Amino acid sequence: MAYNEGLQSDVRKQLGFVLNDISENLPGAFMIYRADKEDDEIFYANKKFLDMDGYENLEELFKSTKKSFRNLIHEDQREAVEASIWN
């Protein structure tokens, strides 16, 4: 039945969603990044986060920060913020 052309399409419509559909309906700004001391890659930020930080879109955030969470933190505060996160 999984290969039945009509069935497969209907199941996808009922169960399919993307992160953007969920995140845009949550209150507040948020981002998702890898919490790793060696690799803090940013994966996603919702529109409220982008608007709050003055970015047009996700690609602009990625380019500006080189996809690194620590590049969102002012250089003078980076050490203290990182210490707080890891504590």
Side-chain angles (χ1 to χ4, degrees), residues 49-70:
F49 182 94
L50 297 172
D51 291 345
M52 180 181 73
D53 283 1
Y55 294 104
E56 285 283 323
N57 53 48
L58 198 54
E59 290 78 25
E60 187 179 311
L61 169 69
F62 288 166
K63 184 177 179 182
S64 173
T65 62
K66 299 178 184 158
K67 294 184 85 173
S68 173
F69 171 76
R70 60 189 327 264

Side-chain angles (χ1 to χ4, degrees), residues 3-65:
Y3 296 103
N4 181 322
E5 189 175 313
L7 179 64
Q8 199 170 26
S9 177
D10 289 340
V11 170
R12 280 193 200 139
K13 286 179 187 173
Q14 291 174 2
L15 299 177
F17 63 87
V18 293
L19 179 58
N20 194 51
D21 292 338
I22 296 171
S23 70
E24 295 310 320
N25 293 300
L26 293 175
F30 73 91
M31 63 175 290
I32 300 171
Y33 77 101
R34 179 179 291 129
D36 183 290
K37 290 181 182 181
E38 304 301 319
D39 183 8
D40 62 347
E41 179 182 4
I42 298 171
F43 296 121
Y44 179 81
N46 72 346
K47 182 160 175 26
K48 290 179 184 174
F49 182 94
L50 297 172
D51 291 345
M52 180 181 73
D53 283 1
Y55 294 104
E56 285 283 323
N57 53 48
L58 198 54
E59 290 78 25
E60 187 179 311
L61 169 69
F62 288 166
K63 184 177 179 182
S64 173
T65 62

